[in-house]
Amino acid sequence: MRTPRVRTYPQFSSSATLITVAPTGAESSKADVPALPVTLAELVTTARECAAVGASIVHVHIRDDDARPTLDLGRLRDTVAALRAETNLVVQLSSGGAVTDPESERLRVLDAAPDMASCTTGTVNFGDDVFLNRWEFIVALHERMRELGIVPEYEIFDLGQLASLRRLLDRHGLPAGGHVHVDFVLGVPGGAPGTAETLVAFKHALRDLPADTTFSATGVGRSTLPVLLASLSAGGHLRVGMEDTVTYAKGQPVESNAQLVARAAGFARLAQRPPMSPDEARILLGIKG
Ligand code: KMH
Ligand code: ZN
């Protein structure tokens, strides 16, 4: 009997899935979401649990003693040290902070010397607020990360931000590590919607960036699953976590970040793209040390 020929597509058959967990964010309050990790001990426990079920990067926002968002440099340094001591995860600090954080404090986050930091390449409406990212500030973040050897994750909330990223790389060079990795953050009220159509359009726009550019995607709120499934099927990576989603299913609050990572890892295995280890993530992203 003739064996049927099967065409293989590299991104489906061979590449593992990078799973980032964004456990806290700056928007939900502990009073509204009791399972949110807000202390350093809670964050480290969450990170360990998420690593055990398939996460390789942790995207970090921290809180003060009253559980309010803070960019306190001492706390950020302690957080980086504790996550490094207790996990093998790639530590990515948010330079976005909260919408109220001044540029000077957002830039100073880099002095905590994480492996990675986020960088958004444009301003976007953010619910009733504005997430402000002026061109000069984007350039300052990009250049400081190059100086310090911190690998950026470009967080993209709308399509024009990919064009700005191209302009940034053309004028100011490739990021530390030489590899470009972007994360599509979809479904923010004011940004691009969290749909498969958006994901495909954004992926298409990557043609203007270096050929080996990688992408992950996250869908805010109830767009979590459509975006996750679209990203997996399009050869992308995943971000999940309580920064983006606090409802697991209709009427069912998320119990823990590990619950979301475990679900993402399960889908990734079904797609025959199992979760990648933190060390594999370091190689992919050009993270040294
Ligand atoms: N909290 C948002 C205003 C980032 O981490 O870089 C910005 C944000 C993006 O979460
Ligand atoms: Zn964030």
Side-chain angles (χ1 to χ4, degrees), residues 142 145-146 150-152 154 169 172-181 210:
H142 179 78
M145 280 197 247
R146 275 169 55 103
I150 296 169
V151 171
Y154 298 104
L169 302 178
H172 299 278
L174 285 172
H179 178 79
V180 179
H181 179 69

Side-chain angles (χ1 to χ4, degrees), residues 26-27 59 61 94-99 118-120 126 131 155 157 243:
E27 282 73 37
H59 168 85
H61 292 252
S94 166
S95 76
V99 287
S118 56
C119 174
T120 292
F126 201 84
F131 179 33
E155 291 207 1
F157 293 73
E243 173 166 344

Side-chain angles (χ1 to χ4, degrees), residues 5 21 33 65 73 89 107 116 146 156 158 213 216 218-219 243 272 282:
R5 288 176 62 117
V21 62
V33 186
D65 288 341
L73 185 57
L89 291 170
L107 198 56
M116 296 184 82
R146 275 169 55 103
I156 305 297
D158 220 338
T213 297
S216 59
T218 183
E243 173 166 344
Q272 299 185 12
R282 285 184 176 89

Side-chain angles (χ1 to χ4, degrees), residues 25-232:
E27 282 73 37
S28 293
S29 75
K30 182 78 170 172
D32 291 342
V33 186
L36 199 69
V38 293
T39 66
L40 182 53
E42 286 171 348
L43 179 64
V44 169
T45 301
T46 297
R48 288 168 62 103
E49 290 169 358
C50 291
V53 292
S56 48
I57 301 180
V58 58
H59 168 85
V60 179
H61 292 252
I62 61 166
R63 302 292 176 101
D64 66 14
D65 288 341
D66 298 321
R68 285 188 304 240
T70 177
L71 294 180
D72 179 85
L73 185 57
R75 280 179 186 260
L76 285 168
R77 287 196 170 122
D78 291 348
T79 302
V80 172
L83 289 169
R84 288 215 175 108
E86 298 291 331
T87 76
N88 184 33
L89 291 170
V90 173
V91 179
Q92 179 189 107
L93 291 184
S94 166
S95 76
V99 287
T100 46
D101 286 322
E103 289 177 348
S104 56
E105 288 187 24
R106 290 173 55 193
L107 198 56
R108 202 180 53 178
V109 164
L110 303 179
D111 294 341
D115 306 307
M116 296 184 82
S118 56
C119 174
T120 292
T121 53
T123 294
V124 63
N125 284 330
F126 201 84
D128 294 339
D129 298 303
V130 176
F131 179 33
L132 183 69
N133 294 286
R134 293 181 313 114
W135 175 250
E136 283 172 6
F137 176 66
I138 296 163
V139 171
L141 266 180
H142 179 78
E143 296 205 322
R144 185 81 179 127
M145 280 197 247
R146 275 169 55 103
E147 265 170 48
L148 296 173
I150 296 169
V151 171
E153 175 180 274
Y154 298 104
E155 291 207 1
I156 305 297
F157 293 73
D158 220 338
L159 193 58
Q161 295 174 1
L162 284 174
S164 294
L165 175 56
R166 163 76 191 262
R167 183 174 174 232
L168 181 72
L169 302 178
D170 282 352
R171 294 188 179 184
H172 299 278
L174 285 172
H179 178 79
V180 179
H181 179 69
V182 304
D183 180 47
F184 304 148
V185 184
L186 306 181
V188 169
T195 62
E197 289 80 1
T198 305
L199 186 123
V200 170
F202 277 33
K203 181 187 171 183
H204 195 58
L206 296 181
R207 71 191 181 283
D208 294 328
L209 293 172
D212 63 348
T213 297
T214 48
F215 73 96
S216 59
T218 183
V220 170
R222 77 179 76 146
S223 70
T224 265
L225 287 176
V227 170
L228 181 153
L229 294 168
S231 189
L232 272 180

